[in-house]
Amino acid sequence: MIRLLLDTDTAGDDTTAIMMALRASNASLEAVTINCGNVDFDQEVRNALYTIEVAGKSGDVPVYPGARHPLLREWETAERVHGKDGMGDSGFPAPKQRPESKHAVDAIIELVNSSPGEVTLVEIAPMTNLALAIRKDPAMARKVRHLYFMGGTNQYLGNVTPAAEFNMWVDPDAAKVVLHSGIPMTMVGWEICMRHGLLEGPELRRIAALKTREARFMTAVTRQERRFMKEVQGADAVSCPDSMTMAMVLNGAVATDVRKKFVDVDNESDLSRGATYVDHLGVLGRRPNVDVVYGASERLFREMLFRMLKGERV
Ligand code: RIB
Ligand code: CA
């Protein structure tokens, strides 16, 4: 069993990633931690708790609120993409489960230290909690089994600026700490998710037609993003960056081309704040620190997604 801790700014596709983890036959989701990101912080906490409830697991997975703002910068959210509540403005009821009182940073440190080499971290949000955990307990970094993160871009395909992807852009200072922490890690960049994980009109209609609790939930949660994509990109589509990352965690074959590279992030300039740089040619002569995903299986990802949406094990 893969033991997972998931750090999320729950809104939009974060919910699909959570549901996929909860349906995995080869993994156990042991903790969810919340980072500032997509929408109002307390709303993100409620969204995570409600998603766990939709998956029929209310009370089974503890949810720990963490960083309420980035390390050094003003926090800017993404309601325009996901709706004011981050859930397509669906008006979902309050969740039954309560969040834990322990801070996410301590939850991360304690879980990793309690089982050295066993816990896999999945980051689908800005990296503030992870950076704080590494700063608070630097030795913890050596005990993480692996970190998978959705973030950055491999050769500039920004979604919040021309150069930067949202998770990196919100807290590039935290990303810097994590990238240089020595944790073995895999990067799933925005460009891979756009190339292989974009669901378009016919697939979205197939999902809506499933009529399961999970499919109805996904359709509602992504409603605003679908409008946003039409408006901004002229495409009838919904992106799946977080669930695609989770699919790779659960099934290594979803990532079809992975290369070890040196990756860094810009936290100094304004124009390229949060831009990730992958040293393809090794011209910097730095030791590679990241397994970068260069290719993904659209077929396998969709198989896993549809199994989850049908209420089956993934
Ligand atoms: O840029 C995509 C990322 O930002 C995803 O994690 C999405 O959920 C949003 O948080
Ligand atoms: Ca996210």
Side-chain angles (χ1 to χ4, degrees):
M1 286 299 257
I2 310 171
R3 299 180 58 188
L4 299 178
L5 182 150
L6 177 66
D7 190 64
T8 158
D9 53 343
T10 314
D13 187 47
D14 292 73
T15 62
T16 308
I18 292 174
M19 290 197 295
M20 198 180 267
L22 290 171
R23 280 281 176 279
S25 47
N26 62 342
S28 62
L29 181 57
E30 300 198 3
V32 168
T33 54
I34 308 293
N35 207 97
C36 59
N38 281 318
V39 294
D40 170 77
F41 186 83
D42 293 315
Q43 181 69 54
E44 291 179 357
V45 175
R46 285 195 292 279
N47 292 348
L49 291 164
Y50 188 71
T51 304
I52 293 170
E53 193 171 314
V54 170
K57 301 281 184 182
S58 187
D60 291 357
V61 184
V63 173
Y64 300 93
R68 290 177 166 268
H69 42 79
L71 291 182
L72 303 172
R73 316 201 178 224
E74 290 300 312
W75 172 23
E76 289 182 44
T77 49
E79 280 91 357
R80 191 175 161 221
V81 184
H82 302 293
K84 191 156 178 3
D85 66 355
M87 307 285 264
D89 291 325
S90 300
F92 292 129
K96 295 192 188 86
Q97 186 185 330
R98 305 298 308 148
E100 305 301 308
S101 51
K102 188 185 289 177
H103 194 279
V105 168
D106 295 314
I108 294 170
I109 292 172
E110 285 173 26
L111 185 62
V112 171
N113 281 332
S114 69
S115 304
E118 285 188 18
V119 178
T120 295
L121 304 180
V122 186
E123 178 62 273
I124 55 173
M127 293 178 160
T128 324
N129 284 334
L130 274 189
L132 288 168
I134 292 163
R135 283 285 190 254
K136 190 169 180 188
D137 180 4
M140 182 208 72
R142 289 194 299 276
K143 300 178 201 156
V144 174
R145 182 180 184 82
H146 200 85
L147 162 67
Y148 291 82
F149 70 91
M150 188 288 121
T153 75
N154 183 1
Q155 296 179 343
Y156 321 97
L157 177 64
N159 58 5
V160 63
T161 72
E165 176 280 331
F166 181 77
N167 290 341
M168 295 288 119
W169 182 83
V170 169
D171 200 341
D173 310 294
K176 189 80 153 183
V177 171
V178 174
L179 282 169
H180 293 279
S181 65
I183 295 177
M185 63 185 95
T186 296
M187 166 175 159
V188 186
W190 177 248
E191 82 296 337
I192 278 290
C193 303
M194 287 302 274
R195 212 176 295 148
H196 301 293
L198 205 62
L199 301 176
E200 299 190 83
E203 279 172 318
L204 295 172
R205 285 191 285 280
R206 262 182 70 207
I207 290 172
L210 289 176
K211 294 204 180 348
T212 58
R213 195 175 40 177
E214 293 83 352
R216 280 203 307 270
F217 182 62
M218 183 181 176
T219 302
V221 165
T222 54
R223 194 187 297 132
Q224 171 56 24
E225 194 202 342
R226 199 166 167 184
R227 278 193 216 114
F228 172 84
M229 293 286 269
K230 264 201 192 117
E231 197 182 300
V232 175
Q233 301 208 0
D236 182 21
V238 158
S239 67
C240 297
D242 300 331
S243 50
M244 188 159 209
T245 303
M246 183 56 75
M248 289 178 190
V249 174
L250 301 176
N251 180 355
V254 178
T256 54
D257 182 2
V258 181
R259 307 181 202 170
K260 216 166 181 58
K261 301 287 179 189
F262 175 71
V263 180
D264 211 343
V265 60
D266 189 340
N267 68 338
E268 285 173 11
S269 83
D270 280 338
L271 187 60
S272 65
R273 161 184 166 178
T276 44
Y277 291 91
V278 177
D279 187 2
H280 299 278
L281 301 175
V283 288
L284 295 175
R286 303 280 301 266
R287 184 200 299 257
N289 55 343
V290 179
D291 294 326
V292 180
V293 175
Y294 277 74
S297 166
E298 298 181 12
R299 182 184 58 77
L300 270 185
F301 167 61
R302 281 161 174 78
E303 277 176 20
M304 294 173 75
L305 177 69
F306 275 85
R307 274 209 298 276
M308 183 279 284
L309 291 172
K310 287 177 188 161
E312 297 168 3
R313 302 289 277 174
V314 172

